[in-house]
Amino acid sequence: MCGRFAVTLPPDAMAQLFAAQPANDLPEVPNYNVCPTVQVHVVRLGETGRSLLPMRWGFLPHWYASETAGPLLINARAETLAEKPAFRAACRARRCLILATGFYEWTKDAEGNRLPWYIRRADGAPIAFGGVWQDWGRDEDRRSTCAIVTTGASEAMSRIHHRMPLILDPEDWPLWLGEAGKGAARLMRPGDEELLSFHRVHPRVNSNRASGPELIEPFDESD
């Protein structure tokens, strides 16, 4: 799964990287502790091409009467994406890219303490998570919401967690967004073994109130 991430790339650099028209109300960056229900940076395909927009991280199916009317859907499993009522329409027609610099995952020690890890692309490039989106609400309450698609973990990632977010390379973006026709389902697989690097970070990131660049710095308990 993916329950927390970091984003540090400036919006103008995001727009250039994804060849997308940026909105004027994008979330502030850097943010080293992006948590569920906040606004995140999303690229989606519209009538005039790619747009870089803010969306609520937490997919809201159209039948939710309120934001808390059902489970918080921050992730969507690739294996059941086309079958689940919440996601199956979005899987076909509303796929997006969710931007990040890296993400967090946790293991546990013998005493059950949560040990956080920071995971990023080994080549240092920004991350594009495969996602799905849904507009929810009416009139002034209408908002766009999204979820990150997840797959089974690669062998390297499985040392930390049995799931991982779907990470798409630039050559796959057109197919995922729907610009290159059909067949996006074939992209829903774990990344290559060499795709990611990871290191332990300080337990302060266990708090969703923590902030600052030190959250992604390597941490050694023996220091």
Side-chain angles (χ1 to χ4, degrees):
M1 63 174 295
C2 179
R4 214 92 68 74
F5 62 90
V7 58
T8 63
L9 197 66
D12 57 346
M14 294 184 199
Q16 183 176 4
L17 177 64
F18 291 91
Q21 181 64 38
N24 294 322
D25 55 347
L26 292 167
E28 292 187 7
V29 290
N31 185 345
Y32 295 92
N33 196 3
V34 179
C35 301
T37 74
V38 305
Q39 297 289 298
V40 296
H41 301 81
V42 175
V43 173
R44 78 178 188 191
L45 188 63
E47 294 180 359
T48 60
R50 296 179 185 178
S51 296
L52 175 62
L53 304 166
M55 289 192 187
R56 177 191 188 268
W57 183 22
F59 189 99
L60 294 172
H62 65 83
W63 61 81
Y64 275 24
S66 70
E67 294 183 8
T68 57
L72 179 60
L73 304 176
I74 62 172
N75 293 156
R77 294 175 66 95
E79 297 89 341
T80 58
L81 191 63
E83 303 167 7
K84 292 288 187 180
F87 300 123
R88 61 190 177 199
C91 175
R92 293 192 300 269
R94 294 190 301 277
R95 297 186 299 273
C96 61
L97 301 171
I98 299 170
L99 283 56
T101 304
F103 62 99
Y104 300 98
E105 196 51 81
W106 282 261
T107 55
K108 289 185 178 181
D109 62 17
E111 288 74 40
N113 298 308
R114 300 178 74 226
L115 309 177
W117 296 77
Y118 183 65
I119 301 128
R120 61 182 182 87
R121 287 186 63 114
D123 60 10
I127 292 175
F129 297 134
V132 290
W133 66 274
Q134 168 76 53
D135 281 340
W136 177 87
R138 297 180 180 178
D139 302 325
E140 66 273 8
D141 291 329
R142 190 171 179 84
R143 68 197 69 185
S144 295
T145 71
C146 64
I148 295 170
V149 176
T150 66
T151 70
S154 63
E155 183 176 352
M157 183 67 194
S158 66
R159 302 169 199 165
I160 299 176
H161 199 274
H162 67 285
R163 303 288 298 175
M164 65 181 288
L166 174 62
I167 298 174
L168 299 170
D169 290 324
E171 59 266 27
D172 297 326
W173 298 345
L175 185 56
W176 186 258
L177 290 173
E179 298 167 326
K182 298 180 180 180
R186 72 171 185 262
L187 301 176
M188 291 191 286
R189 61 184 186 274
D192 296 335
E193 289 303 308
E194 297 78 21
L195 177 66
L196 301 174
S197 67
F198 38 86
H199 58 261
R200 277 284 314 281
V201 291
H202 198 281
R204 68 170 61 94
V205 79
N206 292 352
S207 169
N208 59 15
R209 295 185 178 88
S211 62
E214 66 276 7
L215 296 182
I216 66 172
E217 294 176 358
F219 170 69
D220 187 343
E221 289 181 311
S222 64
D223 290 346

